[in-house]
Amino acid sequence: MREFGVGQSVPRYEDARLLRGLGRYTDDIQLAGLVHAVVLRSPHAHARLRAVDTAAAKAAPGVLAVLTGADADAAGMGTVQPMVPRQRRDGSPMVLPRYRVLALGKVARIGDPVALIVAETLTQAKDAAELVAVDYEPLPVTLGTATLTRPGSAAVWPEAPDNVSFVFALGDRAKTDAAFAAAPHIVKVENTISRVAGCALEPRGAIGSYDPVEDRYTVWATVQQPHQSQAQLAGEFLRVPPAKVRVIAPDVGGGFGVKGTGYVELGLVAWASRVVGRPVKWMSERSEAFLCDDQARDNVTSAELALDRDGKFLGFRVRTIANLGAYVGSAGPLPPTVNLGGLVGVYTIPACDVEVTAAFSNTVPTAAYRGAGRPEASFAIESAIDRAARELGIDRAELRRRNLIPPTAMPYKTALTFNFDSGDFPTGLAKALAAADWPGFAARRRAAAATGKLRGIGIAYAIEQAGAGLEETAEVRFDRSGFATLFSGSSPHGQGHETMYKQFAATFLGLDPANVRLVTGDTDQVFHGIGTFGSRSAAVGGAAMRLAAERIVVKARKLAAHMLEVAETDLAFEAGSFRVAGTDRTIALTEVAKASYRTFTLPRGFEPGLTERATFVPSAPTFPNGCHVCEAEIDPETGATAIVRYTVVDDVGRVVNPLMVKGQLHGGIAQGLGQVLLEEVRYDADGQLLTASFMDYAMPRAEDIPDIAIETNDVPSTTNPLGIKGAGEAGTVGALPAVMSAVVDALASAGVRHFDMPATPERVWRAIRTATAGPRA
Amino acid sequence: MYEFDYHKAKNVKDAVAIAKKQDEAKYLAGGMSLVPPMKLRLAKPGNLIDLNEVGELAGIKVDGKTVAVGAMTRHESVAESKDVKKAIPALAKLAGGIGDPQVRHRGTIGGSLANSDPAACYPTAVLGLGATIETDQRKIAADDFFTGLFETALKEGELITKVVFPVPDKACYIKFPNPASRFSIVGVFVSKKGNEVRCVVTGAGPCVFRVKGIEDALKKDFSPKAIENYKHPASGLNSDIHGSAEYRAHLITVLAKRAVAGAE
Ligand SMILES: Cc1cc2nc3c(=O)[nH]c(=O)nc-3n(C[C@H](O)[C@H](O)[C@H](O)COP(=O)(O)OP(=O)(O)OC[C@H]3O[C@@H](n4cnc5c(N)ncnc54)[C@H](O)[C@@H]3O)c2cc1C
């Protein structure tokens, strides 16, 4: 089974199904009596809801129900709650405006759900939605991350007159102040991290089906964390015990964090199904996705780095305003606060002082998106180092080299939350510089200049935390044919879980992948789970699967010993079989599994069947890291920017499937590059969304992505038994700062001193023009 | 989408007859511009007349002096046509740069011209080569065809049947694509035929327009240098999140220079 096992580039089993249209997505699910729901959304970014008149809509053909915020309150529907509590500066609890399933009293952002229309057909529901008469009284709109908390900004919510929901601080302020006071050099960067949309290929959707016989809800939905969605539906929306709710995530077409958190539409379809007595489907279209999916990033950060005369880092001070949007979504407080550890990078920084102010605006709420605070953190430190290198006249790679944490210092406790267990950063840097031909750049820049182009090189050494804290579950269940069904609490949306878990089954139990199935995403079938996000499934889910597999071997050994009439201690388990030590007598695990169902032949006390489950709780996170080097070429006449070379040397710990790790890195880099060069969610001054379709929201395409040279510098993690660190976010975390670094370097060669993403053509052209016109003007 | 009635036209006469009879009728060509706003309920035609099986509308004919392209000819067919590549390489290249492969395999020249999107590519070639648009009723000179934002000289129910392009000495189209849609932020088409020079801009105004300042300079000297110092006024040009009027004005000169340099 080695060829299917851990470490092999096994092609993805799920692709044969997914690429031939045989996937089963939420929208593919057919149920008897299924009816359709449309969410009527606010066309205003901020308005008082004076009246919602549903009479005409209710009377329209095919309409079964028209539900409003008042109906939701009357039905006892709850509100979205954040996953973690936070506080304001004075220690009082964070400001949490009521985040209802349907707006009541006012709407606070474009796309706020105002009514749910349920009808026999989708067309009828859309027709009826046009008949709902909503009386809006527009209110002042508050936008612009940098200015949200300034005096004079209109309050989004009266309970937060300064628009501050919470303030989050980390590090040691006194120590950092002291380090700065004594530092010969202090450099400062002020950066804007643009707002982006996750844009999974499959938009979000949900089907609610209420069963009056069992008094129980089933919800099929495009989610990454089915058990979390179950808890949220039960506890926050429907206010019933979790036992009354089953959530099923069928095939999910991309998530990137955007499908991670609880959304009101899940609650709406479940509730509506009870109201109309039929299963109810809501499926978002692409334009609706831009309004109803959480958006991401969007902060303004000022970062100061203190250095000594040799360029050694002495302290790092960071102040961030994070834009939460109009509400605190369930994952809303996570990106601005839980991954701040990445601010120290891979460097020895003795003192850090970080403060994040999370503020409201009249925009779509923000939440997790590939990296969820990690790319932002990496960008803060990496851009500060770039600036320091420029100001001190030290090569950017060399300045990093001087400050790297040496492998001999592992385990290493940083000045923030991260405690690195492993990693060889000097090797990673050296390999990356060699693979990217860092020394040869000057010649490439000259060659580009000869064709009128500005060429820049960028570097970033990113590190992130993955697989932190939360548990994951696994179950191995053999049936009487000797085939195995694996159950995992992690829940895929494109990553390749089926392939990965089959590789685990091949390596841990010697099973033929053809005889292994994977079940995920169904809270009735998977006894417990956390889900797939934060680069955790391989490390944490894999460790759980290994535990379950070990338990299988323990139990099967008893029966194998009985069948071979030897002592258990005489048996060795290898490559899927028990072998009597020193002989060639073997019995396959699959035969033992079959025998486990022949009740009357079992040894006394042996419980029939062969099924084991396990839960793995990581004692500490893992720290995937990688050095990215990127080259950009700018056409100064038009401002068009192309990424022409990309190298990454990555440490994702032990690799389960090199092919899939490459895929993860490619996709991750594309999303980091996309944010820098192309993507940006834009609102106009009235809070109207200007980028409401792919005609205006620019996604990266194959032609925008250069060939990516990937080399590895893998150091197994010590915090899980498999040594896996995780690869899901690494590409994005490194690409955002690396691509920016290259763009800024190219622009610096034209005299541009500061540049904020995105590097869209006109912005680049203007930056160059201003810089070159500056001295003359 | 709102409900509508669907009619399949057998030939040109049939299509025009259905259009006369039905209210709010629209011809359906590739559907690339017509269908998306329908899906978003921003357009509500009561009747669609499908031209996709009207064989006489599709096809390319090249003789020594002209290239005639049937209204239902897909962008991909023009891009791949050996005859077009030989006669007017700029036209084949333009067609090959429209949108993406899916769009090029559905979209048609007739649909593109009738639609007259302010950022469309084909209208530049039509105006830039001084082509003639033939309809079921008449022949319309390119200079008279494009009248405004999504507006043309076509009358209600008038059907484009083909477009006849005179073969120039040389021509070139350079487009600076909108990174999201791949339409043009600005596109410039230049051509030279004897003493006649045309320079046509798309993406920057309500519809395509000629730039006299550039044409005059190029008539004297058909070289990039001749227009190096040309500054197009920004006032009145389109401005959106992808490009301000000022940026578009700047791009007109940059792209025109490149088009002159690349003309073949
Ligand atoms: C993602 C995307 C990217 C695109 N990028 C570009 C680009 O880069 N450059 C570019 O130029 N275009 C671009 N387009 C538009 C594309 O070229 C369309 O094909 C074209 O605009 C319309 O052609 P169609 O055949 O699809 O027409 P349809 O959408 O079917 O029709 C458009 C209009 O023309 C009318 N019509 C169609 N045929 C006739 C006829 N024979 N006589 C009279 N009226 C008729 C219809 O009634 C309708 O009003 C893009 C489109 C998309 C969706």
Side-chain angles (χ1 to χ4, degrees):
Chain A
M1 288 306 139
R2 188 167 294 154
E3 68 206 283
F4 304 116
V6 169
Q8 300 302 309
S9 282
V10 178
R12 290 163 36 111
Y13 295 102
E14 44 273 88
D15 286 349
R17 181 166 58 83
L18 297 175
L19 295 179
R20 287 185 300 155
L22 300 175
R24 191 162 190 257
Y25 296 90
T26 298
D27 203 26
D28 295 326
I29 287 164
Q30 300 293 337
L31 297 172
L34 185 71
V35 295
H36 300 267
V38 164
V39 180
L40 180 70
R41 297 184 182 276
S42 167
H44 297 280
H46 198 189
R48 208 177 314 281
L49 261 184
R50 281 199 290 229
V52 183
D53 182 353
T54 60
K58 279 181 173 153
V63 172
L64 301 167
V66 181
L67 303 170
T68 64
D71 298 324
D73 262 23
M77 293 289 287
T79 55
V80 177
Q81 298 297 321
M83 287 185 209
V84 292
R86 292 286 180 253
Q87 296 175 335
R88 284 180 51 98
R89 197 186 296 280
D90 62 7
S92 59
M94 69 200 292
V95 175
L96 268 186
R98 285 178 69 85
Y99 189 170
R100 293 181 161 88
V101 292
L102 292 170
L104 190 65
K106 80 166 189 174
V107 290
R109 52 113 171 171
I110 188 100
D112 234 350
V114 170
L116 185 80
I117 298 93
V118 185
E120 294 282 349
T121 70
L122 184 58
T123 301
Q124 287 172 332
K126 285 186 176 181
D127 287 347
E130 293 180 3
L131 301 175
V132 177
V134 187
D135 184 1
Y136 295 101
E137 178 191 330
L139 295 168
V141 171
T142 302
L143 301 164
T145 309
T147 59
L148 296 178
T149 62
R150 286 195 195 147
S153 280
V156 175
W157 299 101
E159 53 268 48
D162 55 0
N163 284 321
V164 174
S165 173
F166 64 85
V167 176
F168 187 83
L170 210 60
D172 186 330
R173 184 162 297 179
K175 194 174 165 194
T176 309
D177 286 349
F180 272 78
H185 298 293
I186 295 171
V187 297
K188 183 171 182 177
V189 285
E190 309 242 11
N191 291 322
T192 298
I193 304 246
S194 53
R195 176 182 282 235
V196 293
C199 297
L201 197 53
E202 177 207 28
R204 288 193 308 110
I207 299 172
S209 179
Y210 175 71
D211 175 0
V213 178
E214 278 206 85
D215 180 30
R216 193 162 188 261
Y217 301 85
T218 301
V219 175
W220 288 262
T222 55
V223 294
Q224 301 176 213
Q225 296 151 258
H227 288 85
Q228 174 75 29
S229 297
Q230 176 194 36
Q232 187 179 35
L233 272 162
E236 294 172 18
F237 294 147
L238 302 168
R239 294 173 165 165
V240 296
K244 294 291 181 189
V245 179
R246 175 186 188 183
V247 171
I248 302 172
D251 279 328
V252 176
F256 312 113
V258 177
K259 290 178 182 163
T261 58
Y263 282 101
V264 297
E265 294 88 358
L266 273 68
L268 288 175
V269 292
W271 168 40
S273 173
R274 194 183 63 202
V275 171
V276 304
R278 308 262 294 270
V280 175
K281 180 199 276 184
W282 166 79
M283 192 70 221
S284 128
E285 295 175 3
R286 181 60 61 189
S287 327
E288 189 177 11
F290 280 106
L291 298 173
C292 73
D293 292 3
D294 286 340
Q295 298 175 347
R297 315 269 197 252
D298 196 345
N299 81 37
V300 172
T301 293
S302 137
E304 288 174 282
L305 183 64
L307 304 94
D308 74 9
R309 271 174 235 294
D310 302 322
K312 289 286 276 179
F313 304 154
L314 302 173
F316 195 40
R317 188 188 280 142
V318 177
R319 296 290 177 270
T320 291
I321 299 174
N323 191 333
L324 288 172
Y327 301 92
V328 185
S330 55
L334 303 181
T337 63
V338 297
N339 288 308
L340 295 171
L343 286 167
V344 293
V346 291
Y347 312 105
T348 52
I349 307 183
C352 274
D353 166 20
V354 184
E355 187 181 283
V356 178
T357 304
F360 294 113
S361 63
N362 292 115
T363 62
V364 173
T366 54
Y369 167 59
R370 206 163 191 170
R374 298 168 180 85
E376 296 94 311
S378 280
F379 181 54
I381 180 66
E382 295 296 314
S383 60
I385 297 173
D386 276 3
R387 177 67 58 91
R390 265 182 228 295
E391 289 188 9
L392 272 59
I394 304 174
D395 174 72
R396 285 170 291 156
E398 167 59 19
L399 183 57
R400 284 172 170 81
R401 195 193 58 75
R402 285 184 201 173
N403 288 281
L404 290 177
I405 299 166
T408 48
M410 296 293 167
Y412 182 87
K413 189 167 168 33
T414 72
L416 290 175
T417 52
F418 286 5
N419 297 318
F420 300 141
D421 66 294
S422 61
D424 182 351
F425 313 134
T427 300
L429 179 65
K431 272 185 147 180
L433 296 178
D437 185 24
W438 182 269
F441 172 71
R444 294 193 291 280
R445 170 172 273 179
R446 278 194 302 277
T451 65
K453 298 273 174 63
L454 303 172
R455 188 156 173 140
I457 190 164
I459 182 168
Y461 206 135
I463 189 157
E464 80 234 22
Q465 136 182 288
L470 296 166
E471 71 277 15
E472 199 48 274
T473 68
E475 183 175 343
V476 179
R477 195 187 292 174
F478 280 95
D479 57 36
R480 49 180 76 241
S481 54
F483 290 12
T485 305
L486 312 179
F487 299 79
S488 171
S490 64
S491 191
H493 26 100
Q495 294 83 354
H497 283 36
E498 183 182 340
T499 305
M500 176 180 78
Y501 282 108
K502 284 185 173 187
Q503 288 181 266
F504 286 139
T507 295
F508 302 154
L509 296 172
L511 299 179
D512 179 347
N515 299 340
V516 176
R517 288 173 63 230
L518 175 70
V519 172
T520 58
D522 183 341
T523 59
D524 268 11
Q525 293 200 67
V526 179
F527 73 97
H528 171 61
I530 298 298
T532 289
F533 58 91
S535 312
R536 66 189 301 278
S537 295
V540 191
M545 194 54 77
R546 164 127 147 195
L547 272 181
E550 283 168 0
R551 288 176 189 165
I552 287 283
V553 173
V554 168
K555 185 176 180 191
R557 184 189 297 274
K558 291 194 174 78
L559 182 51
H562 172 75
M563 293 167 79
L564 294 169
E565 298 178 316
V566 294
E568 276 183 57
T569 47
D570 291 337
L571 291 178
F573 182 70
E574 50 194 41
S577 291
F578 292 98
R579 192 164 54 80
V580 182
T583 74
D584 55 6
R585 289 178 62 211
T586 63
I587 184 162
L589 174 62
T590 51
E591 291 306 316
V592 178
K594 285 186 211 168
S596 74
Y597 285 95
R598 293 195 282 268
T599 309
F600 298 112
T601 65
L602 296 175
R604 190 185 296 274
F606 189 94
E607 201 177 300
L610 189 55
T611 295
E612 294 289 352
R613 58 175 54 164
T615 304
F616 177 76
V617 191
S619 58
T622 67
F623 294 97
N625 61 87
C627 188
H628 296 232
V629 180
C630 168
E631 290 183 35
E633 256 184 28
I634 292 174
D635 174 352
E637 268 193 322
T638 63
T641 302
I643 302 305
V644 291
R645 187 169 172 146
Y646 203 102
T647 309
V648 52
V649 175
D650 227 84
D651 170 11
V652 299
R654 188 156 286 136
V655 171
V656 180
N657 185 323
L659 185 71
M660 297 208 300
V661 166
K662 272 194 182 154
Q664 287 291 332
L665 290 174
H666 287 169
I669 289 166
Q671 282 177 312
L673 181 155
Q675 173 155 16
V676 174
L677 295 189
L678 297 155
E679 303 181 50
E680 189 187 19
V681 172
R682 297 271 303 269
Y683 294 91
D684 72 7
D686 298 325
Q688 293 290 332
L689 192 59
L690 295 173
T691 47
S693 83
F694 286 146
M695 297 303 269
D696 287 307
Y697 187 86
M699 291 290 284
R701 305 181 195 206
E703 68 177 24
D704 299 313
I705 314 297
D707 284 340
I708 297 168
I710 298 177
E711 292 194 15
T712 53
N713 175 38
D714 294 328
V715 181
S717 167
T718 63
T719 61
N720 66 72
L722 302 176
I724 294 167
K725 289 184 176 170
E729 289 156 302
T732 313
V733 182
L736 190 79
V739 178
M740 267 306 280
S741 176
V743 170
V744 167
D745 185 48
L747 287 173
S749 72
V752 177
R753 293 182 48 80
H754 176 77
F755 185 77
D756 274 321
M757 67 183 77
T760 45
E762 180 168 0
R763 291 174 51 82
V764 170
W765 171 73
R766 274 191 190 284
I768 296 169
R769 213 176 56 143
T770 309
T772 45
R776 264 178 268 139
Chain B
M1 200 177 284
Y2 294 105
E3 285 185 5
F4 59 87
D5 286 329
Y6 172 88
H7 311 266
K8 184 180 282 180
K10 289 196 268 310
N11 51 42
V12 169
K13 240 176 88 193
D14 186 32
V16 175
I18 302 171
K20 276 221 176 74
K21 217 164 58 206
Q22 303 295 344
D23 290 343
E24 301 169 350
K26 281 266 179 204
Y27 296 118
L28 172 69
M32 293 291 93
S33 296
L34 179 59
V35 176
M38 287 174 64
K39 282 164 75 175
L40 295 171
R41 294 195 156 204
L42 297 171
K44 194 181 177 179
N47 292 276
L48 287 196
I49 306 163
D50 189 348
L51 304 177
N52 282 277
E53 288 186 13
V54 181
E56 62 189 296
L57 283 176
I60 298 167
K61 274 207 193 77
V62 178
D63 64 31
K65 294 210 181 83
T66 63
V67 171
V69 182
M72 282 300 293
T73 312
R74 315 281 168 185
H75 307 332
E76 191 65 20
S77 310
V78 175
E80 290 303 314
S81 159
K82 283 205 184 71
D83 292 341
V84 177
K85 280 185 191 166
K86 216 166 115 200
I88 317 180
L91 184 61
K93 275 194 193 148
L94 175 150
I98 292 175
D100 49 48
Q102 288 89 335
V103 168
R104 292 197 288 274
H105 279 90
R106 294 287 314 162
T108 66
I109 191 168
S112 176
L113 298 182
N115 196 49
S116 185
D117 188 291
C121 300
Y122 260 134
T124 64
V126 169
L127 188 57
L129 293 169
T132 305
I133 293 111
E134 298 190 8
T135 75
D136 63 305
Q137 305 168 19
R138 56 184 169 144
K139 293 182 182 175
I140 309 172
D143 284 299
D144 302 327
F145 186 80
F146 303 101
T147 55
L149 185 68
F150 295 107
E151 273 177 21
T152 67
L154 290 174
K155 290 181 266 181
E156 180 97 20
E158 187 170 5
L159 180 76
I160 300 176
T161 52
K162 70 171 164 220
V163 186
V164 182
F165 295 93
V167 174
D169 301 343
K170 51 182 168 178
C172 183
Y173 176 63
I174 302 275
K175 149 172 158 181
F176 192 75
N178 174 325
S181 71
R182 298 308 205 249
F183 272 94
S184 45
I185 290 180
V186 174
V188 177
F189 193 101
V190 296
S191 78
K192 181 174 178 353
K193 186 175 164 81
N195 292 332
E196 205 195 338
V197 170
R198 285 179 176 240
C199 172
V200 175
V201 171
T202 187
C207 63
V208 282
F209 59 87
R210 294 175 64 173
V211 184
K212 195 159 177 310
I214 293 181
E215 289 181 356
D216 290 345
L218 291 177
K219 259 182 221 159
K220 290 190 203 118
D221 172 12
F222 195 82
S223 79
K225 229 176 143 27
I227 51 175
E228 214 169 50
N229 295 320
Y230 176 78
K231 284 217 166 20
H232 198 87
S235 71
L237 295 191
N238 297 343
S239 183
D240 58 31
I241 57 170
H242 304 290
S244 65
E246 188 191 9
Y247 180 57
R248 283 183 155 95
H250 163 78
L251 284 180
I252 288 175
T253 308
V254 172
L255 302 182
K257 278 193 310 184
R258 293 181 185 185
V260 171
E264 53 179 350

